Amino acid sequence: MTFDITTLKFDEKGLIPAIVQDEQTGQVLMLAYMNQESIEKTLETKETWFYSRSRQELWNKGATSGNTQQVVRLSADCDQDTLLVQVKPAGPACHTGETSCFFETIVEEKPETRTILHDLAGNIKDRKENPAEGAYTSYLFKEGIDKILKKVGEETAEVIIGAKNSDKQEVIWEVSDLIYHTLVLLELLGVSVEDVKDELHKRHILKPKGEFR
């Protein structure tokens, strides 16, 4: 399907707001503006291009900082007046160095946990690449695969025991331990969270509508 850019509803200055979202984590990274030319360059290069309202010129995200954004998906909303650009970022989106431009929290009823698996996997990767004295994760990598597999087995058994005892809190605790140690194992083997998500998507989502295994 070929989308006709001219059907988009640009404002009187020929601009349309574009929300940029991390394709893997779902985190909103930034809000910028595009015109028809920047959309065309984005589609052509598979990197984000925007229109600067202050400088009145096109700009390629990451051209100077190196924090580019590889476009995975570009969508228009139902009114055709806003774009959603889903990307794989190669660094922080914000000029301050923050991952997202939306880092000033005004109201928070509960901590943000939507990206926890990716955040935890990132911390584990850092411990592998930068071992810290006394850190448990560094210890696991130092001991190697046999130790890590032993911990995965132990935590699996603890989940089973908690479930048999119908102990909800114990199951939550032990499943959390199991997920952590599994992420350590994945990092050791060079398998990413995204690899697992892709496999789950192929198995359970890419099926005829209404069919679920």
Side-chain angles (χ1 to χ4, degrees):
M1 177 182 177
T2 302
F3 184 80
D4 185 358
I5 296 174
T6 61
T7 63
L8 293 173
K9 296 178 183 177
F10 296 94
D11 66 15
E12 64 279 2
K13 296 180 180 179
L15 302 178
I16 187 170
I19 301 165
V20 182
Q21 180 186 39
D22 187 313
E23 187 268 339
Q24 293 188 6
T25 67
Q27 184 177 24
V28 175
L29 301 177
M30 57 186 286
L31 170 67
Y33 288 83
M34 290 181 162
N35 61 8
Q36 184 166 333
E37 185 181 1
S38 68
I39 295 173
E40 290 171 348
K41 289 186 74 68
T42 295
L43 295 174
E44 176 188 346
T45 65
K46 299 298 188 291
E47 288 187 354
T48 50
W49 284 78
F50 304 106
Y51 184 82
S52 171
R53 293 175 297 171
S54 58
R55 300 191 305 273
Q56 297 190 351
E57 64 181 13
L58 296 185
W59 61 285
N60 174 210
K61 175 64 178 172
T64 55
S65 66
N67 299 327
T68 56
Q69 297 171 340
Q70 178 188 345
V71 177
V72 176
R73 194 173 297 106
L74 179 64
S75 309
D77 76 336
C78 56
D79 293 323
Q80 304 274 291
D81 61 4
T82 305
L83 297 176
L84 176 63
V85 190
Q86 294 170 295
V87 304
K88 289 185 177 180
C94 187
H95 71 281
T96 63
E98 293 286 342
T99 300
S100 167
C101 293
F102 298 94
F103 60 87
E104 294 286 355
T105 302
I106 298 174
V107 176
E108 183 176 67
E109 296 296 328
K110 66 182 292 292
E112 171 62 66
T113 59
R114 184 175 49 179
T115 63
I116 183 59
L117 288 181
H118 290 276
D119 294 341
L120 179 55
N123 289 342
I124 290 170
K125 181 180 179 66
D126 182 66
R127 276 288 183 260
K128 180 173 179 285
E129 296 176 349
N130 304 288
E133 188 68 31
Y136 178 64
T137 306
S138 298
Y139 161 76
L140 287 175
F141 283 123
K142 182 180 178 180
E143 291 296 306
I145 191 165
D146 287 344
K147 179 65 174 180
I148 295 170
L149 289 175
K150 182 173 182 290
K151 290 302 298 181
V152 170
E154 289 175 356
E155 300 306 337
T156 300
E158 293 293 341
V159 170
I160 294 171
I161 293 170
K164 285 291 288 182
N165 292 333
S166 298
D167 190 329
K168 180 179 178 180
Q169 190 55 51
E170 185 69 12
V171 168
I172 292 171
W173 181 274
E174 299 302 342
V175 167
S176 297
D177 277 346
L178 177 58
I179 289 173
Y180 160 76
H181 286 94
T182 300
L183 288 174
V184 173
L185 177 62
L186 293 181
E187 176 59 34
L188 184 71
L189 299 176
V191 179
S192 71
V193 171
E194 196 64 21
D195 292 332
V196 177
K197 288 167 63 177
D198 287 344
E199 181 62 26
L200 289 171
H201 187 264
K202 284 189 293 185
R203 289 189 189 186
H204 302 292
I205 305 302
L206 291 180
K207 290 181 174 293
K209 189 174 181 180
E211 181 180 336
F212 175 74
R213 184 174 70 180

